[in-house]
Amino acid sequence: MNVMIVDDELSAIEAVRNGIQWETLGIGKVYTATNVQDAIRQFQKRSIDILLSDIEMPMGSGLELLKWTNEHYPNVKCIFMTCHADFHFLQEAMQLGSVDYILKPLEFSKVELVLKKTMEKILTNRILKENSNSWIQNKETVIRQFWKDFFLGEISPNKESLMNYFRQKRLDIRLESYYLPILVVTKKWTEPVNKVDQKLLQYALRNIANEILVIPEIEREVLPFSEMSVLIMLRLDTELEEHRLNNIIEDCCRQLIAAASKYIKEIICCYVGIKDSIYEMPSSIEALQERDFNNVIHESEVFFLYQEQQFDTVIYSDNPIGEWREWLKQGRYEEILSDIRDRLTHTKKSIINRDFLNHFTRDFYYLIFEFANDRSIFVNELLGDPQSNLLLKNSLESLEGLLDWVSHTLNIMRNFDKTNANRSNPVERTKNYIQLHLSEEISMEHIANNVYLNADYLTRIFKKEVGVSISRYIINKKMEVAKELLIHTDKSIGDVAMLVGYYNYSSFNRIFTKEIGTSPQEFKNSNIKKSSTD
């Protein structure tokens, strides 16, 4: 037998190559590759029986390589190497299928035991293959490919197209058979999981489903359906009584839910479709997907479509926005959150779907706008940060996400009021800022940032309340102070110009003359003469 080692680190490859007693195990050739593409090229040129691969590599993951080998070389056995020590529970789950899982740093004695066990599996399969034709061995792969092509729309759901496909692939699928689809969807993880590990966990879910969902006398296929779901197709050629069949399916699904929670820390839901002909399967799968789309209460459960009724009409008037608004004015944030939690907890689950979340979010946004308007701020100043935007997105996908967003938003409102309890209105803050910074070149940007308002909006409300624009108000104030300094101090005109924010004498002279009707020097001289006369 031949082995291929795939790892992006050359030192890791050499360690495995030199640490294993290959000849003692009966391994003939040991090939190596440093990335997925290199490994694929090697497969196409060499005979390989065992793939010993790292999972995480920069130019394609070990899972991607496994998917490729399953499609092109289904008899190759794979052993994964990974440093994810926190996922020790995966080893048992992965062993339910044809893939083994070894943690780094590798203990070569354990690696040799796994290799020996894998070689025994290969030898057993070869004996079986010698006693049967190649079609039996490849049947599972061919059937899986059929369902994939069928659901992707590459095969039309009509008798002629299906018959042609079955004839070409030598499939013994009968058009008169009835099927029952089961969609298994991961709703969330109970522990933080990154993208790479999510793929690994979904592979483990398929293995667990393949092990648990076994019903006597019923053929079934366990198929990867999406990044977050697995599809199980049952072929119902037996006369098993429907009620008993549903009980068996529910029992299997609940075992699967428990195993997923225990081994791979997933909250999953199982959606059981309706028995129908092969022609109706695409629309049946769509119905299961729609049911999952509207399942926004992320709790493990088994749903039978034949028992499902249409969602109740959402009662939009149930949200007491007026009452919450009054509580908001009184600062009763915790009472608002408690009331919302209580109402949503006691709302019928059949009402809470995507439409419900959308409407509730729009209603709650009314409170946010009222809060912002009362405080002369923009909503984006409160909730424009990345975390708030992410929570808003999640609020439209699950009830848990909605409550997290509401809690986060109310907390921001409370903190805003606490921070700004003694803060004057924005017009008064603008006047105070100008007074304190007369000796500087005051810009609208600095003023707006100081009062936490958009510059255009601040300009509008300032002129409405004061009667003049902010720029005119600044000039008037500067001229008032300049006149006071020219009359009551001995400061030079240059010093006076700098004290009111003009660092260019000619600019000060020009503006003063235009506003007062006389030059600074003439104004100073006339007031000196007036003072001496008095």
Side-chain angles (χ1 to χ4, degrees), residues 249-323:
I249 290 174
E250 181 170 5
D251 182 62
C252 288
C253 286
R254 295 205 179 278
Q255 289 183 51
L256 178 58
I257 286 171
S261 175
K262 178 180 179 181
Y263 295 119
I264 50 180
K265 313 304 180 187
E266 290 187 15
I267 300 297
I268 66 171
C269 285
C270 298
Y271 305 91
V272 184
I274 298 171
K275 174 184 174 181
D276 215 329
S277 69
I278 193 171
Y279 307 110
E280 300 301 322
M281 281 303 101
S283 59
S284 295
I285 302 303
E286 282 187 26
L288 295 178
Q289 289 179 288
E290 183 178 357
R291 181 62 184 88
D292 175 62
F293 180 78
N294 275 305
N295 178 16
V296 296
I297 301 175
H298 292 177
E299 299 173 357
S300 292
E301 190 53 81
V302 182
F303 301 94
F304 284 84
L305 234 58
Y306 77 90
Q307 296 176 337
E308 294 281 322
Q309 298 178 353
Q310 292 295 319
F311 283 104
D312 294 339
T313 302
V314 179
I315 305 172
Y316 292 134
S317 60
D318 267 2
N319 297 330
I321 299 299
E323 185 176 10

Coordinates of all heavy atoms in Angstrom, one line a residue, residues 249-323:
I249 N -38.9 7.7 13.0 CA -38.2 8.9 12.5 C -38.0 9.9 13.6 O -36.9 10.4 13.8 CB -38.9 9.5 11.3 CG1 -38.9 8.6 10.1 CG2 -38.3 10.9 11.0 CD1 -39.7 9.1 8.9
E250 N -39.0 10.2 14.4 CA -38.9 11.2 15.5 C -37.9 10.7 16.5 O -37.1 11.5 17.0 CB -40.3 11.4 16.1 CG -40.2 12.5 17.3 CD -41.5 12.9 17.8 OE1 -42.5 12.3 17.3 OE2 -41.5 13.8 18.6
D251 N -37.9 9.4 16.8 CA -37.0 8.9 17.8 C -35.5 9.0 17.3 O -34.6 9.4 18.0 CB -37.3 7.4 18.1 CG -36.4 6.8 19.1 OD1 -36.4 7.3 20.3 OD2 -35.7 5.8 18.8
C252 N -35.3 8.7 16.0 CA -34.0 8.8 15.4 C -33.5 10.3 15.4 O -32.4 10.6 15.7 CB -34.0 8.3 14.0 SG -34.1 6.5 13.9
C253 N -34.4 11.2 15.1 CA -34.1 12.6 15.0 C -33.7 13.1 16.4 O -32.8 13.9 16.6 CB -35.2 13.4 14.5 SG -35.4 13.2 12.7
R254 N -34.4 12.6 17.4 CA -34.1 13.1 18.8 C -32.8 12.5 19.3 O -32.0 13.2 20.0 CB -35.3 12.8 19.8 CG -36.6 13.5 19.4 CD -37.5 13.7 20.6 NE -38.7 14.4 20.1 CZ -38.7 15.7 20.0 NH1 -37.7 16.5 20.3 NH2 -39.9 16.3 19.6
Q255 N -32.5 11.3 18.8 CA -31.1 10.8 19.1 C -30.1 11.6 18.4 O -29.0 11.9 19.0 CB -31.1 9.3 18.7 CG -31.9 8.3 19.5 CD -31.7 6.9 19.0 OE1 -30.5 6.4 18.8 NE2 -32.8 6.2 18.7
L256 N -30.3 12.0 17.2 CA -29.4 12.8 16.4 C -29.2 14.2 17.1 O -28.0 14.7 17.2 CB -29.9 13.0 15.0 CG -29.0 13.9 14.1 CD1 -27.6 13.3 14.0 CD2 -29.7 14.0 12.7
I257 N -30.3 14.8 17.6 CA -30.2 16.1 18.3 C -29.3 15.9 19.5 O -28.5 16.8 19.8 CB -31.6 16.6 18.7 CG1 -32.3 17.1 17.4 CG2 -31.6 17.6 19.7 CD1 -33.8 17.4 17.6
A258 N -29.5 14.9 20.3 CA -28.7 14.6 21.5 C -27.3 14.4 21.2 O -26.4 14.9 21.9 CB -29.3 13.5 22.3
A259 N -27.0 13.6 20.2 CA -25.6 13.3 19.8 C -24.9 14.6 19.3 O -23.7 14.8 19.6 CB -25.6 12.3 18.7
A260 N -25.6 15.4 18.5 CA -25.0 16.7 18.0 C -24.7 17.6 19.1 O -23.6 18.3 19.1 CB -26.0 17.3 17.0
S261 N -25.6 17.7 20.1 CA -25.3 18.5 21.3 C -24.1 18.0 22.1 O -23.3 18.8 22.6 CB -26.6 18.6 22.2 OG -26.4 19.3 23.3
K262 N -24.0 16.7 22.3 CA -23.0 16.1 23.1 C -21.6 16.2 22.4 O -20.6 16.6 23.0 CB -23.3 14.7 23.4 CG -22.3 14.0 24.3 CD -22.7 12.5 24.6 CE -21.6 11.8 25.4 NZ -22.0 10.4 25.7
Y263 N -21.6 15.7 21.2 CA -20.3 15.5 20.5 C -19.7 16.8 19.8 O -18.5 17.0 19.7 CB -20.3 14.4 19.5 CG -20.6 13.0 20.2 CD1 -21.7 12.3 19.9 CD2 -19.7 12.5 21.1 CE1 -21.9 11.0 20.5 CE2 -19.9 11.3 21.7 CZ -21.0 10.6 21.4 OH -21.2 9.4 22.1
I264 N -20.6 17.5 19.1 CA -20.1 18.6 18.3 C -20.7 20.0 18.7 O -20.6 20.9 17.9 CB -20.4 18.3 16.8 CG1 -21.8 17.9 16.5 CG2 -19.4 17.3 16.3 CD1 -22.1 17.6 15.1
K265 N -21.4 20.0 19.9 CA -21.8 21.3 20.5 C -22.7 22.1 19.5 O -22.6 23.3 19.4 CB -20.6 22.1 20.9 CG -19.6 21.4 21.7 CD -20.1 20.7 22.9 CE -19.0 19.9 23.7 NZ -19.6 19.1 24.8
E266 N -23.6 21.4 18.8 CA -24.5 22.1 17.9 C -26.0 22.0 18.3 O -26.4 21.0 18.9 CB -24.4 21.4 16.5 CG -23.1 21.7 15.7 CD -23.2 21.2 14.3 OE1 -24.3 20.9 13.8 OE2 -22.1 21.1 13.7
I267 N -26.7 23.1 18.1 CA -28.1 23.1 18.3 C -28.7 22.8 16.9 O -28.5 23.6 16.0 CB -28.7 24.4 18.9 CG1 -28.1 24.7 20.2 CG2 -30.2 24.4 18.9 CD1 -28.4 23.7 21.3
I268 N -29.4 21.7 16.7 CA -29.9 21.4 15.4 C -31.4 21.2 15.4 O -32.0 20.9 16.5 CB -29.2 20.1 14.8 CG1 -29.6 18.9 15.6 CG2 -27.7 20.3 14.7 CD1 -29.2 17.6 14.9
C269 N -32.0 21.4 14.3 CA -33.5 21.1 14.1 C -33.6 20.2 12.9 O -32.9 20.2 11.9 CB -34.2 22.4 13.8 SG -34.5 23.5 15.2
C270 N -34.6 19.2 13.1 CA -34.9 18.3 12.0 C -36.3 18.6 11.4 O -37.2 18.7 12.2 CB -34.8 16.9 12.6 SG -33.2 16.4 13.2
Y271 N -36.3 18.7 10.1 CA -37.6 19.0 9.4 C -37.9 17.8 8.6 O -37.2 17.5 7.6 CB -37.5 20.3 8.6 CG -37.0 21.5 9.3 CD1 -35.6 21.8 9.4 CD2 -37.9 22.3 10.0 CE1 -35.2 22.9 10.2 CE2 -37.5 23.4 10.7 CZ -36.1 23.7 10.8 OH -35.7 24.8 11.5
V272 N -39.0 17.2 8.9 CA -39.5 15.9 8.2 C -40.5 16.3 7.2 O -41.5 16.9 7.5 CB -40.0 14.9 9.2 CG1 -40.3 13.6 8.5 CG2 -39.0 14.6 10.3
G273 N -40.2 16.0 5.9 CA -41.2 16.3 4.8 C -42.3 15.4 4.7 O -42.7 14.6 5.7
I274 N -43.0 15.4 3.6 CA -44.2 14.6 3.3 C -43.9 13.6 2.3 O -43.2 13.9 1.3 CB -45.3 15.5 2.9 CG1 -45.7 16.5 4.0 CG2 -46.6 14.7 2.5 CD1 -46.7 17.6 3.6
K275 N -44.3 12.4 2.5 CA -44.1 11.3 1.5 C -44.7 11.7 0.2 O -45.8 12.1 0.1 CB -44.8 10.0 2.1 CG -44.8 8.8 1.1 CD -45.6 7.7 1.7 CE -45.7 6.5 0.7 NZ -46.5 5.4 1.3
D276 N -43.9 11.5 -0.9 CA -44.3 11.9 -2.2 C -43.5 11.2 -3.3 O -42.5 10.6 -3.0 CB -44.3 13.4 -2.4 CG -45.4 13.9 -3.2 OD1 -45.9 13.2 -4.1 OD2 -45.9 15.1 -3.0
S277 N -43.8 11.4 -4.5 CA -43.1 10.8 -5.6 C -41.8 11.6 -5.9 O -41.6 12.7 -5.4 CB -43.9 10.9 -6.9 OG -44.1 12.2 -7.3
I278 N -40.9 11.0 -6.6 CA -39.6 11.6 -6.9 C -39.8 12.9 -7.7 O -39.0 13.8 -7.5 CB -38.7 10.6 -7.7 CG1 -37.3 11.1 -7.7 CG2 -39.3 10.4 -9.1 CD1 -36.3 10.1 -8.3
Y279 N -40.9 13.0 -8.5 CA -41.1 14.3 -9.2 C -41.3 15.5 -8.3 O -41.1 16.6 -8.7 CB -42.3 14.1 -10.2 CG -42.2 12.9 -11.1 CD1 -43.1 11.8 -10.9 CD2 -41.3 12.8 -12.1 CE1 -43.0 10.7 -11.7 CE2 -41.2 11.7 -12.9 CZ -42.0 10.6 -12.7 OH -41.9 9.5 -13.5
E280 N -41.9 15.2 -7.2 CA -42.3 16.3 -6.3 C -41.2 16.7 -5.2 O -41.3 17.6 -4.4 CB -43.5 16.0 -5.5 CG -44.8 15.7 -6.4 CD -45.1 16.9 -7.2 OE1 -45.0 18.0 -6.7 OE2 -45.5 16.7 -8.4
M281 N -40.1 15.9 -5.3 CA -39.0 16.2 -4.3 C -38.4 17.6 -4.3 O -38.2 18.2 -3.2 CB -37.9 15.1 -4.4 CG -38.2 13.8 -3.8 SD -38.7 13.8 -2.1 CE -40.5 13.7 -2.2
P282 N -38.1 18.2 -5.5 CA -37.6 19.6 -5.4 C -38.5 20.6 -4.7 O -38.0 21.4 -3.9 CB -37.4 19.9 -6.9 CG -37.2 18.6 -7.6 CD -38.1 17.7 -6.9
S283 N -39.8 20.5 -5.0 CA -40.7 21.4 -4.3 C -40.9 21.0 -2.8 O -41.0 21.9 -1.9 CB -42.1 21.4 -4.9 OG -42.7 20.1 -4.9
S284 N -40.7 19.7 -2.5 CA -40.8 19.3 -1.1 C -39.6 19.9 -0.3 O -39.8 20.3 0.9 CB -40.8 17.8 -1.0 OG -42.0 17.2 -1.5
I285 N -38.4 19.8 -0.9 CA -37.2 20.4 -0.3 C -37.4 21.9 -0.1 O -37.0 22.4 1.0 CB -36.0 20.1 -1.1 CG1 -35.8 18.6 -1.3 CG2 -34.7 20.6 -0.4 CD1 -35.8 17.7 -0.1
E286 N -38.0 22.6 -1.0 CA -38.2 24.0 -0.9 C -39.1 24.3 0.3 O -38.9 25.3 1.0 CB -38.8 24.6 -2.2 CG -37.8 24.8 -3.3 CD -38.4 25.5 -4.5 OE1 -39.4 26.2 -4.3 OE2 -37.9 25.3 -5.6
A287 N -40.1 23.5 0.5 CA -41.0 23.6 1.6 C -40.3 23.5 3.0 O -40.5 24.2 3.9 CB -42.2 22.7 1.5
L288 N -39.4 22.5 3.0 CA -38.6 22.3 4.2 C -37.6 23.5 4.5 O -37.5 24.0 5.6 CB -37.7 21.0 4.1 CG -38.5 19.7 4.0 CD1 -37.5 18.6 3.9 CD2 -39.3 19.5 5.3
Q289 N -37.0 24.0 3.4 CA -36.2 25.2 3.6 C -36.9 26.4 4.0 O -36.5 27.2 4.9 CB -35.5 25.5 2.2 CG -34.4 24.5 1.8 CD -33.8 24.9 0.5 OE1 -34.4 24.7 -0.6 NE2 -32.6 25.3 0.5
E290 N -38.2 26.6 3.5 CA -39.0 27.7 3.9 C -39.4 27.6 5.4 O -39.4 28.6 6.1 CB -40.2 27.8 3.1 CG -41.1 29.0 3.4 CD -42.4 29.1 2.5 OE1 -42.5 28.3 1.6 OE2 -43.2 30.0 2.8
R291 N -39.7 26.4 5.8 CA -40.0 26.2 7.2 C -38.8 26.5 8.1 O -38.9 27.2 9.2 CB -40.4 24.7 7.5 CG -40.8 24.4 8.9 CD -42.0 25.3 9.4 NE -42.3 25.1 10.8 CZ -41.8 25.8 11.8 NH1 -40.9 26.7 11.5 NH2 -42.1 25.6 13.0
D292 N -37.6 26.1 7.7 CA -36.4 26.5 8.5 C -36.2 28.0 8.4 O -35.8 28.5 9.5 CB -35.2 25.7 7.9 CG -33.9 26.1 8.6 OD1 -33.8 25.9 9.8 OD2 -33.0 26.7 7.9
F293 N -36.4 28.6 7.3 CA -36.2 30.1 7.2 C -37.0 30.8 8.2 O -36.5 31.8 8.8 CB -36.5 30.5 5.8 CG -36.3 32.0 5.6 CD1 -35.0 32.5 5.4 CD2 -37.4 32.9 5.6 CE1 -34.9 33.9 5.2 CE2 -37.2 34.2 5.4 CZ -36.0 34.8 5.2
N294 N -38.2 30.4 8.4 CA -39.1 31.0 9.4 C -39.0 30.5 10.8 O -39.7 31.0 11.7 CB -40.6 30.9 8.9 CG -40.9 32.0 7.9 OD1 -40.8 33.2 8.2 ND2 -41.3 31.6 6.7
N295 N -38.1 29.6 11.0 CA -37.9 29.1 12.4 C -36.8 30.0 13.0 O -35.6 29.8 12.9 CB -37.4 27.6 12.4 CG -37.1 27.1 13.8 OD1 -37.5 27.7 14.8 ND2 -36.3 26.0 13.9
V296 N -37.3 31.0 13.7 CA -36.3 32.0 14.3 C -36.1 31.8 15.8 O -35.5 32.5 16.5 CB -36.9 33.5 14.1 CG1 -36.9 33.8 12.6 CG2 -38.3 33.6 14.7
I297 N -36.8 30.7 16.3 CA -36.6 30.4 17.8 C -35.6 29.2 17.7 O -35.9 28.1 17.5 CB -37.9 30.0 18.4 CG1 -38.9 31.1 18.4 CG2 -37.7 29.5 19.9 CD1 -40.2 30.8 18.9
H298 N -34.3 29.5 18.0 CA -33.2 28.5 17.8 C -33.1 27.6 19.0 O -32.2 27.6 19.8 CB -31.9 29.3 17.6 CG -31.9 30.0 16.3 ND1 -30.8 30.8 15.9 CD2 -32.8 30.1 15.3 CE1 -31.1 31.3 14.7 NE2 -32.3 30.9 14.3
E299 N -34.1 26.6 19.0 CA -34.1 25.6 20.0 C -34.2 24.2 19.2 O -34.9 24.1 18.2 CB -35.2 25.7 21.0 CG -35.2 27.0 21.8 CD -36.5 27.2 22.6 OE1 -37.4 26.3 22.5 OE2 -36.6 28.2 23.3
S300 N -33.5 23.2 19.7 CA -33.5 21.9 19.1 C -34.9 21.4 19.1 O -35.6 21.3 20.1 CB -32.6 20.9 19.8 OG -31.2 21.3 19.6
E301 N -35.4 20.9 17.9 CA -36.8 20.4 17.8 C -36.9 19.6 16.5 O -36.1 19.7 15.6 CB -37.8 21.6 17.8 CG -39.2 21.2 17.9 CD -39.5 20.3 19.2 OE1 -39.6 20.8 20.3 OE2 -39.5 19.0 18.9
V302 N -38.0 18.7 16.5 CA -38.3 17.9 15.3 C -39.6 18.5 14.8 O -40.6 18.5 15.6 CB -38.4 16.4 15.7 CG1 -38.7 15.6 14.4 CG2 -37.1 15.9 16.3
F303 N -39.7 18.8 13.5 CA -40.9 19.4 12.9 C -41.3 18.4 11.8 O -40.6 18.1 10.9 CB -40.7 20.8 12.3 CG -40.2 21.8 13.4 CD1 -38.8 22.0 13.5 CD2 -41.1 22.5 14.1 CE1 -38.4 22.9 14.5 CE2 -40.7 23.4 15.0 CZ -39.3 23.6 15.2
F304 N -42.6 18.0 11.8 CA -43.2 17.3 10.8 C -44.1 18.2 9.9 O -45.0 18.8 10.4 CB -44.1 16.1 11.3 CG -43.3 15.0 11.9 CD1 -42.7 15.0 13.1 CD2 -43.0 13.9 11.1 CE1 -42.0 13.9 13.6 CE2 -42.3 12.8 11.5 CZ -41.7 12.8 12.8
L305 N -43.8 18.3 8.6 CA -44.5 19.2 7.8 C -46.0 18.9 7.7 O -46.8 19.8 7.6 CB -43.9 19.2 6.4 CG -43.5 20.6 5.9 CD1 -42.5 21.3 6.8 CD2 -42.9 20.5 4.5
Y306 N -46.4 17.6 7.8 CA -47.8 17.3 7.7 C -48.6 17.8 8.9 O -49.8 17.9 8.8 CB -48.0 15.8 7.5 CG -47.9 15.0 8.8 CD1 -49.0 14.7 9.6 CD2 -46.6 14.4 9.2 CE1 -48.8 13.9 10.7 CE2 -46.5 13.7 10.3 CZ -47.6 13.4 11.1 OH -47.5 12.7 12.2
Q307 N -47.9 18.0 10.0 CA -48.6 18.6 11.2 C -48.6 20.1 11.2 O -49.3 20.7 12.0 CB -47.8 18.1 12.5 CG -47.9 16.6 12.7 CD -47.1 16.1 13.9 OE1 -46.2 16.8 14.3 NE2 -47.4 15.0 14.4
E308 N -47.8 20.7 10.3 CA -47.6 22.2 10.4 C -48.8 22.9 9.8 O -49.4 22.4 8.8 CB -46.4 22.6 9.6 CG -45.1 22.1 10.2 CD -44.7 22.9 11.4 OE1 -44.8 24.1 11.4 OE2 -44.2 22.3 12.4
Q309 N -49.2 24.0 10.4 CA -50.2 24.8 9.9 C -49.5 26.1 9.5 O -48.4 26.4 9.8 CB -51.3 25.1 10.9 CG -52.0 23.9 11.4 CD -53.1 24.2 12.4 OE1 -53.1 25.4 12.9 NE2 -53.9 23.3 12.8
Q310 N -50.2 26.9 8.7 CA -49.7 28.2 8.3 C -49.4 29.1 9.6 O -50.2 29.0 10.5 CB -50.6 29.0 7.3 CG -50.7 28.3 6.0 CD -49.4 28.4 5.2 OE1 -48.7 29.4 5.3 NE2 -49.1 27.3 4.5
F311 N -48.4 29.9 9.5 CA -48.2 30.8 10.6 C -49.4 31.7 10.9 O -50.0 32.2 9.9 CB -47.0 31.7 10.4 CG -45.7 31.0 10.5 CD1 -44.9 30.6 9.4 CD2 -45.2 30.7 11.8 CE1 -43.7 29.9 9.6 CE2 -44.0 30.0 12.0 CZ -43.3 29.6 10.9
D312 N -49.7 31.9 12.1 CA -50.8 32.8 12.5 C -50.5 34.2 12.0 O -49.3 34.6 11.8 CB -51.0 32.9 14.0 CG -51.5 31.5 14.5 OD1 -52.0 30.7 13.7 OD2 -51.3 31.3 15.7
T313 N -51.5 35.0 11.8 CA -51.4 36.4 11.3 C -50.7 37.2 12.5 O -51.1 37.1 13.6 CB -52.7 37.0 11.0 OG1 -53.3 36.2 10.0 CG2 -52.5 38.4 10.5
V314 N -49.7 37.9 12.1 CA -49.0 38.7 13.1 C -49.9 39.9 13.6 O -50.4 40.6 12.8 CB -47.7 39.3 12.6 CG1 -47.0 40.1 13.6 CG2 -46.8 38.2 12.1
I315 N -50.1 40.0 14.9 CA -50.9 41.0 15.5 C -50.0 42.2 15.7 O -49.4 42.3 16.8 CB -51.6 40.6 16.8 CG1 -52.4 39.3 16.5 CG2 -52.5 41.7 17.3 CD1 -53.0 38.6 17.7
Y316 N -50.0 43.2 14.8 CA -49.0 44.3 14.8 C -49.4 45.3 16.0 O -48.5 45.9 16.5 CB -49.0 45.0 13.5 CG -48.4 44.2 12.4 CD1 -49.0 44.1 11.1 CD2 -47.2 43.5 12.6 CE1 -48.5 43.3 10.1 CE2 -46.7 42.7 11.6 CZ -47.3 42.6 10.3 OH -46.8 41.9 9.4
S317 N -50.7 45.3 16.4 CA -51.1 46.3 17.3 C -50.7 45.9 18.8 O -51.0 46.7 19.7 CB -52.6 46.6 17.3 OG -53.3 45.4 17.5
D318 N -50.1 44.8 18.9 CA -49.8 44.3 20.3 C -48.7 45.0 20.9 O -48.5 45.0 22.2 CB -49.5 42.8 20.2 CG -50.7 41.9 20.5 OD1 -51.8 42.5 20.6 OD2 -50.6 40.7 20.5
N319 N -47.8 45.7 20.2 CA -46.7 46.4 20.8 C -47.1 47.7 21.4 O -47.5 48.6 20.6 CB -45.6 46.6 19.7 CG -45.1 45.3 19.2 OD1 -45.1 44.3 19.9 ND2 -44.6 45.2 17.9
P320 N -47.0 47.9 22.7 CA -47.4 49.2 23.3 C -46.4 50.3 23.2 O -45.7 50.7 24.2 CB -47.6 48.7 24.8 CG -46.6 47.6 25.0 CD -46.5 46.9 23.7
I321 N -46.2 50.8 22.0 CA -45.1 51.7 21.7 C -45.3 53.0 22.5 O -44.4 53.6 23.1 CB -45.1 52.1 20.2 CG1 -44.8 50.8 19.4 CG2 -44.1 53.2 19.9 CD1 -43.5 50.2 19.7
G322 N -46.6 53.5 22.6 CA -46.8 54.7 23.4 C -46.4 54.6 24.8 O -45.8 55.5 25.4
E323 N -46.7 53.4 25.5 CA -46.4 53.2 26.9 C -44.9 53.1 27.0 O -44.3 53.7 27.9 CB -47.0 51.9 27.3 CG -46.8 51.6 28.8 CD -47.6 50.4 29.3 OE1 -48.1 49.6 28.5 OE2 -47.6 50.2 30.5

